[in-house]
Amino acid sequence: MKKFNSPLSKLFTWKNIKYAAKEYGKLVIILFIVTSSIIQSSRVPTPSMERTIMTGDFLMVNKLAYDLTTPRNIPFTDIDLPFTQIFNWGDPDRGDIVVFEFPGNRDEIKNTKIDNYVKRCVAVSGDTLEVRNKILYVNGKEAPIPIHVQYARDYLLPKDYLDTEVFPKNSLWNSDNYGPLVIPKGGDIIKLSKANIEEWKTFIGREYGKDVVEIKNNKIYVDGKETKEYKVRDDYCFMMGDNRDNSLDSRYWGFVPRRNVIGTPMFVYWSWNSDIPFSDFFNLLVSVRLDRIGKIVN
């Protein structure tokens, strides 16, 4: 009997299947590199940057703004990858809006999942930062006020009001009267003592990626070695939201290391009312903010 060869049988040969798998594999790798190292999208879930960036905005992020790195994590997962900075052509400057990996809450060595935050860099390594009656000062001078800055409260927290949640631990500050605080720089030497070790314990642990600070017999040990000082490994930024009274930022969880900086937002490519659940899709779709789509972020 003559064997019948259909067009489909010719198409689905082992050779063609291997070729398709190879080509699609290349495409997946290219997309992985692009989304992990060049550009990415980011959704804004909180009002900390309103009215500069609104809750429900979807941002296109330029990951080449400051450097080029190998992928930091597997896309759409919380699986970290050991990454390397390939090229560095700049660092965040005062006033930049920065996308970064959240370092964790004040007393956490590492955040339990990968969260990308968007805040404004208000101070960089070596700067002295202070907030006096809501007004931000950097190196003794009043900092430029963002055009969309806003304050939710019409009153000031007095200087003697102690907010036990602020960074660093045991500081006698609050969000309206904060500092002065020096932003660490790589190479700085921090003198350690029993009086200040709680302030620096988490900071040091974050640099190591694990809990390495111990106090034994009234002596301080870092990574198993007795010491009275610590040499800072990375440069750091201090981040604040433009919605100053409604922003959990560096005033509450600390410095952002340079290695956590991902890039800067370019523009809003989609925006809607994120308070509406996806299950109510019709009303969610009606809430689309057409006036924000394509808006440049600055």
Side-chain angles (χ1 to χ4, degrees):
M1 179 181 290
K2 186 177 179 180
K3 188 175 181 180
F4 177 72
N5 291 320
S6 69
L8 285 177
S9 66
K10 291 181 180 179
L11 179 63
F12 290 105
T13 64
W14 180 241
K15 181 179 179 181
N16 287 344
I17 291 173
K18 285 199 298 183
Y19 175 79
K22 181 179 179 181
E23 294 305 308
Y24 279 114
K26 289 179 182 178
L27 179 60
V28 169
I29 291 172
I30 291 171
L31 289 174
F32 174 66
I33 293 172
V34 169
T35 57
S36 300
S37 302
I38 300 176
I39 59 172
Q40 75 172 46
S41 63
S42 181
R43 182 178 68 89
V44 179
T46 69
S48 67
M49 284 294 291
E50 290 186 354
R51 296 176 297 262
T52 306
I53 301 172
M54 304 295 289
T55 306
D57 281 353
F58 289 75
L59 308 174
M60 190 59 68
V61 179
N62 176 13
K63 300 180 77 171
L64 294 177
Y66 305 111
D67 57 17
L68 173 65
T69 70
T70 58
R72 295 168 176 264
N73 65 285
I74 298 176
F76 314 114
T77 75
D78 289 325
I79 301 174
D80 281 320
L81 293 174
F83 71 93
T84 301
Q85 187 182 70
I86 302 172
F87 297 109
N88 177 27
W89 37 75
D91 296 311
D93 201 358
R94 303 178 201 94
D96 287 0
I97 298 176
V98 179
V99 179
F100 57 93
E101 185 178 330
F102 177 52
N105 292 315
R106 187 190 66 182
D107 301 324
E108 288 181 328
I109 299 295
K110 186 174 177 59
N111 195 31
T112 54
K113 61 180 181 176
I114 296 175
D115 283 326
N116 291 342
Y117 277 26
V118 184
K119 306 284 184 187
R120 192 178 296 275
C121 175
V122 296
V124 297
S125 291
D127 286 344
T128 299
L129 174 142
E130 186 175 8
V131 179
R132 301 180 216 149
N133 296 327
K134 290 185 185 288
I135 299 174
L136 173 65
Y137 294 84
V138 177
N139 299 326
K141 297 180 180 179
E142 186 175 342
I145 300 174
I147 189 171
H148 295 301
V149 73
Q150 62 172 319
Y151 299 91
R153 289 186 277 103
D154 59 0
Y155 61 89
L156 291 171
L157 298 175
K159 274 189 175 184
D160 58 358
Y161 174 79
L162 173 61
D163 185 346
T164 58
E165 301 298 318
V166 299
F167 169 87
K169 191 174 182 178
N170 299 330
S171 62
L172 304 177
W173 306 333
N174 59 62
S175 58
D176 289 353
N177 288 280
Y178 184 93
L181 180 71
V182 177
I183 316 304
K185 183 178 181 63
D188 284 354
I189 303 297
I190 299 170
K191 300 295 184 182
L192 301 178
S193 67
K194 289 187 293 182
N196 72 1
I197 191 59
E198 285 298 320
E199 299 174 22
W200 292 106
K201 182 178 180 180
T202 302
F203 174 88
I204 295 170
R206 287 177 179 177
E207 291 218 309
Y208 274 85
K210 60 182 180 179
D211 190 2
V212 293
V213 176
E214 293 181 283
I215 300 178
K216 296 185 295 186
N217 300 320
N218 289 323
K219 295 178 181 179
I220 297 170
Y221 292 81
V222 174
D223 200 26
K225 298 178 181 178
E226 183 185 351
T227 185
K228 294 183 179 179
E229 60 184 30
Y230 178 75
K231 186 175 181 179
V232 177
R233 297 180 171 190
D234 204 347
D235 290 339
Y236 286 83
C237 300
F238 197 95
M239 306 290 186
M240 289 178 67
D242 287 356
N243 191 358
R244 294 285 166 83
D245 291 338
N246 196 10
S247 175
L248 287 175
D249 49 40
S250 286
R251 290 171 292 179
Y252 290 92
W253 36 254
F255 311 113
V256 174
R258 175 63 180 84
R259 66 183 177 274
N260 282 36
V261 171
I262 293 171
T264 186
M266 296 185 290
F267 60 89
V268 179
Y269 71 86
W270 188 256
S271 183
W272 57 17
N273 184 353
S274 58
D275 290 334
I276 300 174
F278 200 79
S279 58
D280 190 5
F281 186 72
F282 177 77
N283 284 324
L284 183 61
L285 197 59
V286 170
S287 75
V288 171
R289 307 174 185 127
L290 294 176
D291 60 321
R292 291 199 61 77
I293 295 177
K295 184 177 178 60
I296 304 298
V297 178
N298 53 34

